[in-house]
Amino acid sequence: MGGRYPNGDFYFFESQLSPEELNILEKVKTWTREKVTPIANDYWNRAEFPFELIPSIQDLNIISLKRGQGYSGLLAGLVTAEIHRADASVGTFFSGQDGLFTGSVELLGSEEQKQRFLPDLYAVKKTGVFAITEPNAGSDVAKGMSTTAEKVEGGWIINGAKRWIGNATWSDYVCVYARDIADDQVKGFIVDTSTEGYAATLMQNRIALRAVQNADITLTNVFVPDENKLDKADSFKATNEVFKSARATVGWQAVGLQMGILDAVLEYLDERTQFGQKLSSFQINQSKVATIQGNLIASQSMMAQLNRLQEQGEDKNEHSALAKAHVTRMMRESAALGRELVGGNGIISDYKVGKHFCDAEAIYSYEGTYDINQLVVARSLTGESAFV
């Protein structure tokens, strides 16, 4: 394949990493190239999770690079991007383990809870997922949450249902958010999935992130001991720090998906000919490729600046909301352009671009839809809230 930028680092963001961090990123790139990319489409088409990758993920030691290991946020973001570049389903497992679940423990747990849960989570000896969305409550879950928690002697009884919970069919733990019937406040709980009354049913017929085992969860009189109630999770407002971090992670996911789209498109255009010429030589195709690259660089630049704000302690909810909304919007455009460039073959899931095109729809939708994140940003600009 021709071109001077085969690694996708068009504006040289990787040059900002230390030699040690570059070594970590190169190990991740090698892993995705040798272990993930060759099997990703097959597992996606079969809607099965590649459990064979878990041991190699453990060996990489890349969970909580920023918070737990003290590396830069840029490294953590680029690692997230590289995994999603290869496969967004494997990337979603990584980000769920690394961000939403561990983030809930790190940001809302007591010191005792951190010591008890985090080492095995970082080592991927145990797995955890995050459960807040419900069958009838998504963007309005703050007010519309129907899952309840009732205080009893020695713990809590949880009843309710959650939906779209990734890999909940096989995870060891689920971080469940439920409304306390005593004070009407949303609180967080670590539920052991072996507990009586917990059930997870695989959702069928999904068109995105098919290798992720999204599940419908039901909780029927599930007992959670007091020590598994997240110490600082006493209101929905407390979850904002988790969501703020998660939205930033989703932005890096969208960066990675665009990298994967560009890889697949350049490979296809270089190999296929029409009218006696490579597809890569046609002006209209080159214009679309340049637009994808422009979207990717704009996305990387926004995420890199958001990371700087995070490291300076100056990031607000509206900063992560703006990044999540617009980076995923650009990703969606890049996915559509990539699908166009591959033509009819972009509709077949055997091709990488078709998979990326479908996966983009999930990333665009979760951790706050585009419209909700737009309203979060506009609220900070106008001083008026357009939603309750």
Side-chain angles (χ1 to χ4, degrees), residues 174-186:
V174 177
C175 181
V176 174
Y177 288 86
R179 188 176 303 281
D180 185 349
I181 63 174
D183 62 9
D184 204 37
Q185 294 295 316
V186 171

Side-chain angles (χ1 to χ4, degrees), residues 130-148:
F130 181 92
I132 195 164
T133 302
E134 297 188 350
N136 296 310
S139 297
D140 64 342
V141 73
K143 296 292 183 181
M145 186 176 294
S146 60
T147 300
T148 61

Side-chain angles (χ1 to χ4, degrees), residues 2 4 10 15 25 73 77 90 93 97 103 106 130 150 172 174 191 220 224 237 241 269 271-272 290 292 309 341 386:
R4 288 163 34 190
F10 200 78
S15 67
L25 185 61
V90 173
F93 161 74
Q97 176 88 356
E106 289 167 343
F130 181 92
E150 181 179 7
D172 298 295
V174 177
V191 175
T220 307
V224 179
K237 185 178 181 180
E241 287 300 310
L269 296 181
E271 292 177 352
R272 189 171 174 89
I292 295 172
L309 291 175
L341 284 163

